[in-house]
Amino acid sequence: MHIRVLFLFLGILIFESSCKAQDIRVYKEPIFANDWSKPSIHPDRIILNPGQNPSSEMNVTWRTSPEVKVAYAEIAPATAAPKFWRNAQTLTAKTEYLNAKEVPMAEVEANYHSVEFKNLQPGQLYGYRVGDGEHWSEWFQFKTASADPKERFSFLYVGDAQNYILELWARLIREGYRKAPDADFIIHAGDLINYAHREQEWHEWFTAGGFIHSMLPSLSVPGNHEYNYLNNSNREAGRALSIQWKPQFTFPENGPEGLEETAYFMDYPDVKFIFLDSNRDHEKQAAWLRDILKENKKKWTIVSYHHPLFSASSGRDNEALRAIWKPIFDEFKVDLALQGHDHSYARGRVGPGENVLNGTNLRDLTGTVYVVSVSGGKMYGLNPNGWEGTEAVRDRAAENTQLFQVISIENNSLKFESYTAVGELYDAFELAKNEDGSNTFLELKTDLGPEYRFENTIPYEDQLPSEIESEILKKYSGYEIRRVIFKEVEGQTRIELRIQKGEIQKILLLDSKGKVLSEN
């Protein structure tokens, strides 16, 4: 008993010390050479995307410089014998030329090559490589989905990577792969990058994931940051989908006309996965979604899109989208909605609706479970009122925390686990499928720790040392400190401080000791 108390006391001390502001420290962002992200004759950005039927279909896409006119993929059942390639089949790739030289921040020419592997065997491990016949990638491996609807499988789900991609998202996606190395695929709920057409950010995204993209198939939807103007001289044309999106991914082309590879579906043996583009054509997708769900015979239905129907952060309510899509989710008993956009974490659910089993405790039943999550380094604050005033109840939330999710399905059971970037279990629940299609909900968060907030984690914003803060507030009586930014000016550490009194605002520049160097 005494030992447990001691460990608890030490844990509190460590926790408190980790949340305090550190010494003044200017963060050094990485600088990348101009040619860092340029393509060459060697294959790069190799990525797997499942076909509509992942038990028998898998797609691979990669990039080279334009001088590679013809490319190939080789595939064979993988065995322990190193020369398994003797049984390989060689397929000629479809090649697409991307000329983005006139698109600001893209400014690149490349050839993108893709091959659709068809007629694969269910549950089979395959090895494959890509190249031009001389310059080949290494051999990668992937496994097709089982044909048995009762067999267990799992997948990863992440929200916005978007910012500090190579710096901070890399650790998250690699920890996710380490935690669930046998996952079948990964879902990215939009905002993979920050500036839709920026070549450097796409290169960061592919570099951060590295070989994971080549072995763990990806399913992605575009977020609002995957749409932007192609150039300032043609803004009347509106925001366009990232110029790299369609060349670099090969998603199923089974969505509504005009939304190919941004809205689509995938059929696991007993799960219908539906991916929506929440940026546009909401009514058009609603009609398509209804048609898909009318014909759906799968036990489980999971949807993913970017803008949450129930937002985690303040001032970001998507009421119009909720009014269009939620009634369809309710009618066809969508089990799980995986969302992004809000740069915080929230998980909750709606009521089960009508037509439930007689004698069942309604408190144990649930309708759609909605999740918002963030995987990158940019953080927003939570709505302090949760989902109050909506048709849903928020059960678990987090601020200032990078998270990935592992979701496992086995016959009538779905288990959801959310982990931090250092592998801590942060949230968990289970759904049990009943004979009438309703779900019994089991809350598993009770054994977990307190929710993370800005005030009990390492500060997200720069924090002014208390002794400097005291002196500034004494000198500028009646003012409040609004923002603190640590930066480097000509090799010297400086503090930019915004203070405000009523409508009067001042910008101060301080040295590292708190001396005021300038005032504007």
Side-chain angles (χ1 to χ4, degrees), residues 160 308 310-313 316 318 340-344 372-374 380-381:
D160 307 34
F310 299 96
S311 293
S313 303
R316 298 169 70 85
N318 301 297
H341 191 56
D342 282 353
H343 294 264
S344 52
V372 182
S373 191
V374 58
Y380 292 161

Side-chain angles (χ1 to χ4, degrees), residues 476-492:
Y476 294 89
S477 179
Y479 280 83
E480 294 181 351
I481 295 172
R482 294 296 189 188
R483 190 169 186 189
V484 179
I485 300 175
F486 298 155
K487 58 185 184 178
E488 192 173 282
V489 180
E490 298 179 350
Q492 300 293 317

Side-chain angles (χ1 to χ4, degrees), residues 166-224:
L166 185 55
E167 300 162 77
L168 294 175
W169 187 68
R171 72 173 187 142
L172 185 288
I173 193 65
R174 294 169 192 178
E175 180 65 22
Y177 186 79
R178 192 178 74 86
K179 182 68 70 174
D182 293 326
D184 285 46
F185 56 88
I186 181 169
I187 290 176
H188 302 268
D191 280 3
L192 284 63
I193 66 168
N194 195 36
Y195 295 101
H197 316 294
R198 191 178 184 191
E199 185 69 9
Q200 177 188 303
E201 291 183 8
W202 281 118
H203 203 62
E204 286 190 54
W205 189 84
F206 277 96
T207 303
F211 75 86
I212 298 171
H213 296 309
S214 311
M215 296 183 69
L216 184 64
S218 291
L219 294 142
S220 306
V221 294
N224 52 299

Side-chain angles (χ1 to χ4, degrees), residues 330-368:
D330 292 344
E331 180 181 352
F332 293 98
K333 298 181 180 179
V334 168
D335 300 292
L336 187 61
L338 306 176
Q339 310 158 114
H341 191 56
D342 282 353
H343 294 264
S344 52
Y345 179 82
R347 184 265 293 176
R349 53 199 177 109
V350 299
E354 300 175 355
N355 302 318
V356 298
L357 289 168
N358 291 332
T360 303
N361 189 337
L362 288 177
R363 292 176 301 177
D364 296 332
L365 296 181
T366 183
T368 305

Side-chain angles (χ1 to χ4, degrees), residues 85-303:
W85 50 262
R86 293 191 187 281
N87 296 318
Q89 179 184 10
T90 302
L91 303 171
T92 302
K94 174 184 174 183
T95 296
E96 179 178 352
Y97 171 59
L98 172 67
N99 182 357
K101 291 192 296 183
E102 304 303 320
V103 178
M105 294 191 291
E107 300 163 357
V108 67
E109 286 181 279
N111 272 349
Y112 281 90
H113 314 279
S114 62
V115 167
E116 298 180 0
F117 298 127
K118 302 280 191 180
N119 302 314
L120 304 177
Q121 294 301 307
Q124 171 67 53
L125 186 68
Y126 285 93
Y128 78 94
R129 67 173 182 168
V130 300
D132 63 1
E134 294 182 354
H135 308 95
W136 291 99
S137 71
E138 64 268 52
W139 286 91
F140 297 102
Q141 295 184 161
F142 70 84
K143 191 175 184 180
T144 53
S146 169
D148 183 355
K150 295 183 179 181
E151 186 168 322
R152 181 187 183 278
F153 76 95
S154 64
F155 61 95
L156 291 163
Y157 142 61
V158 295
D160 307 34
Q162 189 177 339
N163 305 89
Y164 318 105
I165 303 168
L166 185 55
E167 300 162 77
L168 294 175
W169 187 68
R171 72 173 187 142
L172 185 288
I173 193 65
R174 294 169 192 178
E175 180 65 22
Y177 186 79
R178 192 178 74 86
K179 182 68 70 174
D182 293 326
D184 285 46
F185 56 88
I186 181 169
I187 290 176
H188 302 268
D191 280 3
L192 284 63
I193 66 168
N194 195 36
Y195 295 101
H197 316 294
R198 191 178 184 191
E199 185 69 9
Q200 177 188 303
E201 291 183 8
W202 281 118
H203 203 62
E204 286 190 54
W205 189 84
F206 277 96
T207 303
F211 75 86
I212 298 171
H213 296 309
S214 311
M215 296 183 69
L216 184 64
S218 291
L219 294 142
S220 306
V221 294
N224 52 299
H225 283 267
E226 271 79 56
Y227 281 88
N228 211 332
Y229 303 103
L230 285 173
N231 53 62
N232 289 326
S233 62
N234 193 27
R235 294 176 74 87
E236 65 273 8
R239 293 161 62 88
L241 179 66
S242 167
I243 198 167
Q244 294 94 337
W245 185 273
K246 288 191 175 182
Q248 74 189 7
F249 299 128
T250 306
F251 297 126
E253 294 191 26
N254 52 20
E257 184 178 354
L259 287 152
E260 292 83 2
E261 295 189 280
T262 68
Y264 54 94
F265 68 87
M266 176 182 73
D267 284 321
Y268 251 65
D270 218 5
V271 186
K272 175 78 77 173
F273 289 92
I274 302 174
F275 301 87
L276 301 168
D277 185 346
S278 58
N279 296 279
R280 59 192 178 114
D281 298 317
H282 298 153
E283 294 280 6
K284 184 177 187 178
Q285 290 180 80
W288 171 78
L289 177 64
R290 182 176 290 279
D291 288 342
I292 293 294
L293 292 176
K294 278 181 182 177
E295 303 299 320
N296 182 24
K297 300 292 193 268
K298 306 291 186 183
K299 182 177 295 182
W300 298 95
T301 304
I302 297 175
V303 297

